[in-house]
Amino acid sequence: MVLQKRLDYGFNGYQVPPIPRATRSVRRRGIIRRKADGNGTCPFDLLATVAGKLLGEGESSPDSTGSVRGKEQGATVKDEKVKEAEDRSLKEKSYTEGCYERGFFISELVSQAPVVNCSLSELPHVQSDTISRPASASMSSDCSEKLLFAKQFVNGESSEEHENFSSKTKQEASGCGVFSSCTLDTENDKQMKIELSNKAKVSTDKGAAISSSKFPDIWDKNPSTLVTSDESVKLSLSTYPAPCRSFPVIRNDVKLANKDDDENSGCTQPSTPNKASGAAPRVRDRPIKKLLASKYWEEKLKSDDEGHANSGAKTMHVYYNRNIGYKHQRSQRDFPFKKRKFFKCGSFSNSDGEMSTDGISSSPTNDLHGNASGCPAAGTSVFNGGRAFLRPGDSHVKFRIKSFKVPELFVDIPENATIGSLKRTVMEAVTAILGGGLRIGVVFQGKKVRDDDKTLLQTGISHDYKLDALGFSLEPNPVQTSQPLGQDCRSSVLPYETPQPLTRCPSPSTVVHTGIQQGISDDHTGTSLSNFLESDHESAPSPHYAALEKISANSRALVPLTAVNAEALSAVPLRKPKRSEATQRRIRRPFSVSEVEALVQAVEKLGTGRWRDVKLRAFDNAKHRTYVDLKDKWKTLVHTARISPQQRRGEPVPQELLDRVLTAHAYWSQQQAKQQMKQPSETYLLL
DNA sequence: TTTAGGG
DNA sequence: CCCTAAA
C-alpha cells in the first residue's frame, strides 16, 4: 500500500530567480538598460530583453555550493529537518510580503497531528511572522495521513485580500481539505500530496465555474492521488494567478547596479524581517548548472541566508538570446507533467516596497496592496512595480527584475520515491515549464502595453515613471494545447506581440529553488510563467537544457513517476516564433545520384511504406539519412519524374532512374491499393 | 518509433 | 527538411 502512495505536488510558482546574478556574466544581473529616448527601444524590445535574459541564459553559474535549502528542503520530506525545511518554505511562502506568498508551504501532516502551525513557526527561513497565516490555514486541516501541502500564494490582490487572508488561507486549507478528502477521508489510503502553487487569487472567478471535472486531466491519471474535488479546483483557481502573471518589476537601482554579487544585490531583502523574501533572492542567482545538481539546492539554501543573490549591480545590457529549445509538445497527458489547466489571471505584484530600490523588501502588506493593484479584478494579471531611474543625461532606463515566478507545478510521485527523485522531478517540471516557451508581457500603469513598436519614451516609461507603473509578466505560450482556463482569463493578455525566442532562464535551479523557498523573493516580482510541458528537453539547445537533461536522467533512475503539470497561460509560444540556434535546421544534403540509385533499388525491392527497412538496407551507414529523409526523397523523386526535365532543379537525376522511380511507385501503389481493397472488404463484411 | 502527409 | 498526427 505504502508504495502505492503517491505524492502530488503542485507547485504553484517557483520563482525564477532574478535573472541575473551579477557574478558572472552580465546576464546575471537583472539589470537591463534600455534607452528611454524615443528612438530607443520599444517595449517589445524590452520584453525580448527580459525574456531573453530569463530564458536565454543558459548556463548559470553554479557557484553556490552549499546546501540548498529552499526547495529541497521543502521537497525533502525526510526527517524533521525536512519538515522544518518545509515549514520554512511554508513560512516563506506565507510570508506575506510580497505577494502573499508565492512560496509554497509545505507542511507535512503526519498522522493526525496537525503540526502545521508548529512547523510553520519553526520554519527556519521564514520569520515567523510572515508565514503564520498561511500556515495556519494549511495547518488547519489535519490530515491524518501524510499530507504535504505546499502552496504558494500569490496574490496580487488588494489589501482586502490581505485582510481576508486568514479566511483565504482557510479556504485554501479547505482546498487541502480536498486533498484531505482524499487523504483525510480515506484515512486508510495513504496519500501524500504536495501541492505547491502560487495561487494568485483571481478576482475573476471563473475558477468557480471551473470544476474539477473540467480539468480532470490534471489529475486524472492518478485519480486516487490527485485531488479532483471541485473544491480543490476552485481553490486553486481562485488562488491562481491568472495566466498572466505579473511580477514585479524592476527597479533601477543605481546602487544595485554597482554591486556584483548575489549577496550584495540590493535585491535581497535581508533587511526585511521576512526572510522568505530573502531566501528567494538567493535562489535566483544560482546558475543553472548547479541547480541541476542536487547539491544545487543545498547550496542555495545556504546561500540564502546570506546572500541573496541578487542581481548584480552591474547593469546588463540586454541581449536577446534566441535559444529556443524545445521540441514538440507532447500530449499533455503523456507528459509526465501535468498541466494545470486553469490559469486565470493571477497576478500578483509585488509591492513597491519590495521593489524598493535597495532591494529592501517591502512589508508584506505593502506587497499585498501592490498586488491588489496589480491584479485587478479585470484580470489583468500582470503587474508589478518597477522603477525606472533615469539619471540625468542618461537616456537609458534601467530595469531590474528581481525575479520571475514560475507558475505552479504539479508533481505526482510515488510515496516511496526518494527525496532525490523528488528533487529531480521537480527540477524536471520546472525545466519543462521554462522550456515551454514564454513570452513577456508588459504592463504599464495598469495597462498592458501591446504596441511593441512604441518606444519606452512614448509609452511613458522613462526615468520618471512611477514605481509600480511598470510590470512584466511571463506568459505562457498560447500554443499550448490546453489552456482552458488560461484562456479565459487572459486571453486579453495574449495578444501581445509575437514572442520572440527567449533565452532560457539562466538557472532553472534557481527557479525551483526559489519556488521552494517560496516566495521569497517574489516580493518584487512575481512572475508567472506558464508552463508547458514539453517533454523534450533534448531539443533544447541551450545549455540549460543540457543540464536539465542530465538531471532528469539521473532523476529518472530514482523516480518512477512524476507528473507535473505546468500550466500554461495563454500565451504565445516563445519558442515557436523562431527557431533558435538551438534547433537548427539540418544542413541540406542533396542526394547524390548514387544515393538515389540505392534508394530506388531498395524501394523497388521493398516497396514504399517500409522506409525503415529501406534505410537499413540502403542507408544503414548514412547516419544523416533518416527514414523520413528517404521517404521525403522518394516523394520528391516521384514528383521530379513527373515533371518536365526543364522544371527540374539541382543535380540531374538520370532519366533511367526516374523511370524506375515511376515504375516502382506505380507498382507499389498498386500493391497498396490491392491491400486496401481486401481490408475494406473484410471490414464491410463485418459490418 | 515509424509511417504518412502536409508545409 | 521540418513538423505532426497516427499508428
Side-chain angles (χ1 to χ4, degrees):
Chain A
M1 297 298 291
V2 174
L3 296 178
Q4 297 300 329
K5 294 178 182 180
R6 290 170 164 255
L7 297 178
D8 289 337
Y9 299 176
F11 294 8
N12 245 355
Y14 279 101
Q15 276 190 340
V16 175
I19 302 166
R21 213 189 197 187
T23 7
R24 299 194 172 168
S25 53
V26 174
R27 7 163 120 169
R28 292 192 180 168
R29 299 193 176 168
I31 298 170
I32 297 170
R33 291 184 81 188
R34 284 302 198 166
K35 287 189 177 182
D37 57 68
N39 294 340
T41 25
C42 352
F44 180 72
D45 295 333
L46 175 60
L47 294 177
T49 303
V50 172
K53 283 191 172 184
L54 246 179
L55 299 182
E57 314 260 339
E59 55 293 30
S60 50
S61 55
D63 325 333
S64 60
T65 52
S67 51
V68 173
R69 290 184 180 176
K71 180 178 185 178
E72 254 195 338
Q73 291 180 344
T76 18
V77 178
K78 298 174 181 181
D79 307 1
E80 293 178 356
K81 288 183 178 180
V82 172
K83 288 182 179 180
E84 290 181 355
E86 290 179 355
D87 292 354
R88 225 194 232 180
S89 62
L90 290 175
K91 287 182 177 180
E92 290 176 355
K93 293 181 178 181
S94 58
Y95 87 144
T96 4
E97 311 187 351
C99 322
Y100 244 174
E101 327 220 285
R102 292 213 159 201
F104 2 73
F105 302 93
I106 297 171
S107 56
E108 180 176 0
L109 299 181
V110 176
S111 60
Q112 309 172 354
V115 177
V116 175
N117 293 337
C118 298
S119 60
L120 293 176
S121 62
E122 293 175 358
L123 299 182
H125 299 293
V126 178
Q127 304 275 347
S128 61
D129 300 354
T130 51
I131 302 161
S132 60
R133 296 175 184 174
S136 62
S138 54
M139 304 306 288
S140 63
S141 59
D142 305 348
C143 301
S144 57
E145 298 291 334
K146 294 176 181 180
L147 173 54
L148 294 181
F149 175 68
K151 233 182 207 185
Q152 278 185 341
F153 292 68
V154 172
N155 289 340
E157 298 197 348
S158 62
S159 59
E160 292 178 355
E161 290 185 358
H162 177 52
E163 295 185 357
N164 291 343
F165 195 134
S166 59
S167 62
K168 283 189 175 182
T169 30
K170 289 180 179 179
Q171 290 180 349
E172 291 183 351
S174 63
C176 290
V178 171
F179 294 61
S180 61
S181 62
C182 298
T183 45
L184 294 178
D185 293 352
T186 53
E187 292 180 354
N188 294 341
D189 297 352
K190 294 176 180 180
Q191 291 183 347
M192 297 180 71
K193 292 181 180 180
I194 294 172
E195 179 175 356
L196 300 178
S197 58
N198 344 343
K199 294 180 175 184
K201 293 182 178 182
V202 174
S203 55
T204 55
D205 292 354
K206 289 186 175 181
I210 298 164
S211 59
S212 60
S213 61
K214 291 183 179 181
F215 304 85
D217 319 6
I218 297 170
W219 309 103
D220 37 4
K221 289 187 176 181
N222 299 313
S224 60
T225 341
L226 297 181
V227 174
T228 352
S229 65
D230 294 349
E231 292 179 356
S232 60
V233 172
K234 289 179 180 180
L235 293 174
S236 52
L237 291 175
S238 62
T239 340
Y240 270 97
C244 314
R245 298 207 169 169
S246 52
F247 16 93
V249 173
I250 324 160
R251 198 187 156 213
N252 305 337
D253 267 352
V254 173
K255 292 179 179 180
L256 292 177
N258 298 337
K259 297 177 181 181
D260 314 336
D261 230 61
D262 323 8
E263 293 180 353
N264 328 337
S265 57
C267 301
T268 62
Q269 304 174 343
S271 62
T272 59
N274 298 339
K275 286 198 168 181
S277 63
R282 313 157 188 175
V283 172
R284 308 166 185 174
D285 298 3
R286 305 298 172 180
I288 295 168
K289 292 179 180 180
K290 289 194 173 180
L291 291 176
L292 297 179
S294 60
K295 293 179 180 180
Y296 157 76
W297 295 95
E298 292 179 354
E299 291 177 354
K300 285 197 168 184
L301 292 178
K302 288 182 178 180
S303 64
D304 295 354
D305 299 349
E306 308 164 356
H308 305 301
N310 288 322
S311 55
K314 296 176 182 180
T315 58
M316 295 177 63
H317 290 281
V318 174
Y319 35 58
Y320 300 79
N321 284 340
R322 298 205 174 169
N323 301 339
I324 298 168
Y326 46 54
K327 293 203 163 179
H328 47 276
Q329 299 173 340
R330 291 184 183 177
S331 61
Q332 294 176 341
R333 292 196 170 191
D334 294 347
F335 195 69
F337 298 83
K338 294 177 182 180
K339 287 184 179 181
R340 230 189 203 189
K341 302 177 177 179
F342 36 57
F343 266 164
K344 287 211 146 213
C345 343
S347 61
F348 41 93
S349 55
N350 295 340
S351 61
D352 299 354
E354 291 181 358
M355 296 309 292
S356 65
T357 57
D358 292 353
I360 297 170
S361 62
S362 58
S363 63
T365 39
N366 291 343
D367 293 349
L368 292 176
H369 292 290
N371 289 343
S373 61
C375 293
T380 54
S381 55
V382 177
F383 203 79
N384 46 19
R387 255 187 211 179
F389 284 44
L390 191 47
R391 299 178 196 168
D394 183 348
S395 60
H396 285 73
V397 178
K398 295 178 182 180
F399 298 89
R400 185 177 84 177
I401 296 174
K402 291 196 172 184
S403 67
F404 279 99
K405 231 181 168 179
V406 176
E408 66 179 62
L409 300 177
F410 293 89
V411 177
D412 181 359
I413 190 171
E415 202 176 46
N416 58 336
T418 63
I419 297 299
S421 64
L422 173 59
K423 293 175 182 179
R424 291 170 203 144
T425 301
V426 174
M427 178 55 96
E428 290 179 46
V430 172
T431 300
I433 293 173
L434 295 178
L438 296 173
R439 58 194 257 156
I440 300 291
V442 171
V443 175
F444 184 64
Q445 296 179 330
K447 297 178 183 178
K448 281 208 165 187
V449 178
R450 301 186 180 187
D451 186 346
D452 294 335
D453 298 326
K454 272 188 176 181
T455 62
L456 296 180
L457 195 60
Q458 292 174 328
T459 305
I461 300 172
S462 58
H463 14 311
D464 47 42
Y465 70 81
K466 299 171 184 176
L467 202 52
D468 291 341
L470 180 63
F472 292 90
S473 61
L474 293 181
E475 301 171 357
N477 290 333
V479 171
Q480 303 168 343
T481 54
S482 60
Q483 49 307 14
L485 297 181
Q487 301 172 342
D488 355 351
C489 285
R490 286 296 148 98
S491 47
S492 61
V493 173
L494 297 182
Y496 290 77
E497 65 296 358
T498 58
Q500 283 187 343
L502 297 184
T503 54
R504 292 220 169 183
C505 276
S507 53
S509 58
T510 323
V511 173
V512 173
H513 175 69
T514 351
I516 293 169
Q517 291 217 339
Q518 217 4 175
I520 315 158
S521 56
D522 307 356
D523 3 3
H524 316 326
T525 53
T527 307
S528 53
L529 292 186
S530 55
N531 357 359
F532 290 46
L533 305 181
E534 296 178 13
S535 54
D536 321 338
H537 301 299
E538 313 161 352
S539 54
S542 65
H544 286 294
Y545 272 94
L548 292 177
E549 290 182 5
K550 282 184 178 180
I551 293 170
S552 62
N554 294 339
S555 63
R556 278 173 193 165
L558 298 179
V559 180
L561 302 180
T562 51
V564 172
N565 212 347
E567 301 172 353
L569 296 185
S570 59
V572 173
L574 285 185
R575 296 181 175 184
K576 295 242 164 146
K578 294 179 181 179
R579 148 178 313 201
S580 60
E581 302 86 322
T583 308
Q584 289 179 336
R585 209 186 215 251
R586 288 189 301 160
I587 59 174
R588 185 166 178 276
R589 276 145 139 180
F591 277 73
S592 64
V593 174
S594 61
E595 284 180 309
V596 171
E597 182 166 0
L599 176 60
V600 172
Q601 194 166 43
V603 173
E604 286 173 333
K605 183 86 176 180
L606 302 172
T608 54
R610 295 177 61 189
W611 303 108
R612 178 165 175 277
D613 292 332
V614 170
K615 154 73 174 168
L616 264 38
R617 181 190 182 87
F619 296 83
D620 197 19
N621 46 12
K623 183 187 154 205
H624 61 288
R625 301 298 188 194
T626 65
Y627 46 75
V628 173
D629 293 327
L630 300 179
K631 181 265 295 177
D632 287 340
K633 179 58 181 172
W634 183 260
K635 181 173 64 177
T636 59
L637 280 172
V638 170
H639 179 259
T640 300
R642 290 172 173 170
I643 61 178
S644 65
Q646 296 74 35
Q647 294 176 293
R648 297 172 190 164
R649 293 184 302 173
E651 185 180 7
V653 176
Q655 186 61 41
E656 178 261 338
L657 281 175
L658 293 176
D659 291 341
R660 287 169 63 189
V661 167
L662 289 177
T663 302
H665 188 264
Y667 175 77
W668 289 108
S669 293
Q670 188 177 31
Q671 294 298 315
Q672 196 168 44
K674 286 182 180 179
Q675 291 297 322
Q676 305 265 342
M677 294 295 287
K678 286 187 177 181
Q679 304 270 0
S681 62
E682 293 178 0
T683 305
Y684 288 128
L685 292 174
L686 294 174
L687 294 175

